[in-house]
Amino acid sequence: MVDRIADIWGSRTPFAQGERWPIRVDQKLLDGVTEEQVDRWVQSACVLCSNGCGADIAVKDGRMVGIRGRAVDIVNHGRLGPKGLFASCQGVDNADRLTRPLIREGDRLVETDWETAMSRIVERSQTLLADKGPLTHGFYTTGQIFLEEYYALGILGKAGLGTPHMDGNTRLCTATAAAALKESFGSDGQPGSYADIDECDAMFLFGHNMAETQTVLWMRVLDRLAGPNPPQLVCVDPRDTEVARKATVHLAIRPGTNLALMNGLVRELIVTGAVDEHYVGEHTLGFEGLRAAVERWTPDEVARVCGVEAADVRRAAQIFVASERVLSTVLQGFYQSSQATAASCQVNNLHLLTGKLGRPGSGILQMNGQPTAQNNRECGADGDLPGFRNWENPDHVGELADLWGVPVDKIPHWSPPTHAMQIFRYVEQGSIPFLWIVATNPVVSMPQAERIRRILSAPDLFLVVQDLYLTETARMADVVLPAAAWGEKLGTFTNVDRTVHISEKAVDPPGEARPDLDIFLDYARRMDFRRDDGGPLLDWSGPEDGFRAWQECSRGRPCDYTGITYDRLRGGSGIPWPCNDEHPDGTVRLYGDAVFPTDVQRAETFGHDLLTGATVGPQAFKAMRADGRAILKAAAYAPAHELPSDEYPLQYSTGRTAYQFHTRTKTARARQLNRAAPSAWIELARGDAAALGIEEGDIVRVTSPRGEIVVPARVGDVREGTVFAPFHYGYWDQERSGPDNEPTAANELTITEWDAVSKQPIFKVAAVRVEKVRDGVSPAPAPTTTASRPARPGQVPPTRGGTDAEVLERMPPVDPPTLATDEEAKP
């Protein structure tokens, strides 16, 4: 048994380059439950990060009582991370689950029945449609529900109501991943595979603290590092993360300077003669423009702007050049910072310039942050057109109109879809008086929290919230709908590297809670949305009908699901799309043939100017004649809009901890996780703390032009001049987390600003000042096992889990014969 709070990544199973990652099956049952007492195991996959680990749910007496990893799954080979082990069941099986709908009566939310709640929603919806039209309606969703649910919502929003105001919290998380893939390759969809970790000579992690955000993926890296021929690592992160500690080169750059660094790395490839001229000439466009854009970014200039050593910049570039096979991963350190799309496209450019793409060990993972974020993007619930179709391409809009049986003009395509930040602005202005929020908590997760509270409390707004618990956002609603959770409904979802899993229903939802799909279908029926032939717009009887409808929508598109069925997903491993007649067993990597979806009829976008966000447009895109070639995009570096000043001398950046997920709706209800990181803190560098007279655990006030928080300080290993805060902590479990009703939520301080192309908010760059409020009485509540470790470990008790955090790890001597190969991805 292993304490998986103290030892986040568990026991090592070393393996060599090119070998199969060994199996290790992690299992956690609730206290007092033995394996012999489990009635049945039900197939699923974990939904507590974006990794998408195959899992089985233990059921006893109609209750979920545990979880174990699936040895046959190509994603995790049996492993699970701490959040999956401890919060999968504990996170949903709680007495404070919502079990009946709530409606607002005066200043109170009171229980009611479904008929009353849905009638109130439909009455307001129909009134607004009749009086002012579909632009009155907005939807703000999630990365947590299932494919079939997203697709139902995409259809009812676009073809039922006809509103362009649809987006998800994926906009906050990894919208830049999709944007960068579309700009470089013509379409969303990860080129690489997790299996590239097994094959690569080097890994570059750009703003990606994999050790905490995708713990199982980091286990795979650790096992490669522990085996023969380990890969070299290059880490770009202002904090001394576990990734940084294992890195060959750690580039601890100033927040907001990612593009300057990337321009410098691209320049080094060009000036050192490392460009694969044949690949670039045959398979890309834009090289001369790229070369001109990066010309000034010598290593010395990168060092000056980014605050790193010029020698380290050269060394990082040398590693990329000298390594035959390179895997790059990118996450929020790039996505939530200045010039996010431009910097992320430069990662793509490194691989395009050298032809290191589409073959084992050579690939790109523009990571996601949530388990089903990919499906939100695929299915159109985030505003994009389903099936990676292009809203500027009339043929694509016509395909959807034919598929759904509605007039072309019903589907909004006259302008870009409305992104989340603009949706909330329209709510603030009063032009969206009906907002439906599904499985997300923007009161805590959106930037400038005080503004979001003010927007959602407007008396003229009709707010519907659909969730598991009475979150900070749900408390502000006019109607609250209780939703079924993972394990309480059937559906499918897709992870970062395009692997599709099925999640079976293991138990019934509590009380009157309903699956999100049932709620959407009920709304569509009550609204009487119909096709041109008079039939119902959504005539599905359940999730499998929805999946079959999605297969048809995806047919012939880059994300083709036509070869995947529920039966094929049952009993074996997940399957990576595209899966069709041409690729009957799925597709592990994209672009091995160096043919990209940039043909006019394949492209999901016609592209944007990376500096201004202006669209290229259909005529200019056609004139480029990309015709299956990738596009080498570039932009000039520009400093962040909010820089340190005399009044606010430090830079502020938010992020995650390994023990919590999003706004803690599930993880704070898992006692093992919550003990490890129970409440908010900030992190200061040793030098900054000494200059301010701050010791470990002292209570400090952090102030930005937008607000303040009062929290304990961890004196740690963040870059000097930088303040780090985990964003998870809101106020649902108490009015304020600090004494004297003091604010503690990290997003009280963040700025309302977004990337020009992806429209992703900037959480990583703001200016703050820090001052001591009073002496601390104990160390900060930050864990000691992660990047939040104290500068002086002996002063702080180590993070431990205790007996209830012990996990069974089984390591079979040989792989079972049913294990799918990573290359074949067979069920």
Side-chain angles (χ1 to χ4, degrees), residues 5 20 39 56 87 137 166 170 182 216 264 284 318 342 388 445 554 589 781 783 800 802 814:
I5 294 296
R20 178 184 302 282
D39 296 332
D56 294 323
H137 285 59
M166 305 184 73
T170 50
K182 288 189 280 189
V216 172
T284 72
Q318 289 165 358
F388 295 162
S445 59
S554 73
R589 297 173 187 86
R800 295 283 184 264
V814 294

Side-chain angles (χ1 to χ4, degrees), residues 229-240:
N229 305 315
Q232 297 189 81
L233 299 187
V234 174
C235 171
V236 179
D237 198 307
R239 301 169 74 209
D240 187 27

Side-chain angles (χ1 to χ4, degrees), residues 198-496:
D198 309 349
E199 306 283 351
C200 67
D201 299 301
M203 283 187 67
F204 281 62
L205 294 95
F206 295 100
H208 183 193
N209 182 9
M210 184 192 289
E212 297 191 55
T213 55
Q214 284 85 25
T215 55
V216 172
L217 205 58
W218 183 240
M219 296 173 201
R220 198 166 188 156
V221 175
L222 288 176
D223 287 348
R224 267 297 315 273
L225 293 175
N229 305 315
Q232 297 189 81
L233 299 187
V234 174
C235 171
V236 179
D237 198 307
R239 301 169 74 209
D240 187 27
T241 63
E242 295 304 305
V243 177
R245 291 194 162 196
K246 296 289 185 181
T248 311
V249 177
H250 176 204
L251 295 165
I253 64 174
R254 290 190 183 99
T257 64
N258 295 330
L259 183 57
L261 171 68
M262 296 310 303
N263 284 347
L265 291 177
V266 168
R267 180 188 179 276
E268 282 297 287
L269 265 60
I270 294 172
V271 301
T272 59
V275 173
D276 183 333
E277 294 182 0
H278 174 77
Y279 189 96
V280 169
E282 291 292 318
H283 304 301
T284 72
L285 291 176
F287 176 72
E288 292 303 325
L290 175 64
R291 176 157 59 185
V294 304
E295 185 176 1
R296 63 167 280 214
W297 290 100
T298 65
D300 288 338
E301 181 66 1
V302 172
R304 184 186 69 81
V305 171
C306 299
V308 295
E309 295 296 326
D312 288 339
V313 177
R314 292 189 183 93
R315 176 64 177 139
Q318 289 165 358
I319 290 171
F320 197 99
V321 171
S323 302
E324 181 182 350
R325 293 168 287 187
V326 179
L327 172 64
S328 293
T329 70
V330 194
L331 198 55
Q332 275 98 332
F334 272 40
Y335 299 160
Q336 294 179 339
S337 191
S338 303
Q339 298 185 280
T341 305
S344 300
C345 283
Q346 287 289 44
V347 176
N348 299 339
N349 289 342
L350 290 175
H351 288 263
L352 289 168
L353 289 172
T354 54
K356 295 176 181 178
L357 191 66
R359 50 193 172 87
S362 290
I364 303 163
L365 292 170
Q366 297 274 359
M367 299 293 294
N368 298 336
Q370 295 186 78
T372 72
Q374 192 65 45
N375 302 121
N376 197 325
R377 305 198 311 243
E378 294 167 3
C379 297
D382 70 339
D384 289 340
L385 294 186
F388 295 162
R389 289 176 173 85
N390 186 345
W391 69 269
E392 290 187 283
N393 187 328
D395 293 340
H396 286 190
V397 182
E399 290 171 9
L400 290 176
D402 291 342
L403 188 67
W404 296 338
V406 299
V408 167
D409 289 343
K410 182 71 173 182
I411 301 170
H413 63 283
W414 53 86
S415 66
T418 313
H419 62 91
M421 301 298 285
Q422 191 63 52
I423 288 174
F424 278 83
R425 177 59 174 154
Y426 288 155
V427 174
E428 186 175 37
Q429 293 173 326
S431 62
I432 295 180
F434 179 106
L435 183 63
W436 193 328
I437 294 175
V438 180
T440 188
N441 191 14
V443 167
V444 179
S445 59
M446 290 282 279
Q448 202 171 342
E450 184 278 330
R451 173 175 174 262
I452 300 302
R453 289 193 295 269
R454 178 164 33 86
I455 290 171
L456 295 183
S457 61
D460 293 335
L461 172 65
F462 186 81
L463 178 62
V464 180
V465 174
Q466 184 171 314
D467 215 321
L468 309 182
Y469 295 100
L470 195 64
T471 63
E472 293 90 336
T473 302
R475 291 177 180 179
M476 307 181 77
D478 295 283
V479 178
V480 180
L481 301 177
W486 168 91
E488 300 168 356
K489 59 183 182 179
L490 170 65
T492 58
F493 64 92
T494 307
N495 75 345
V496 172

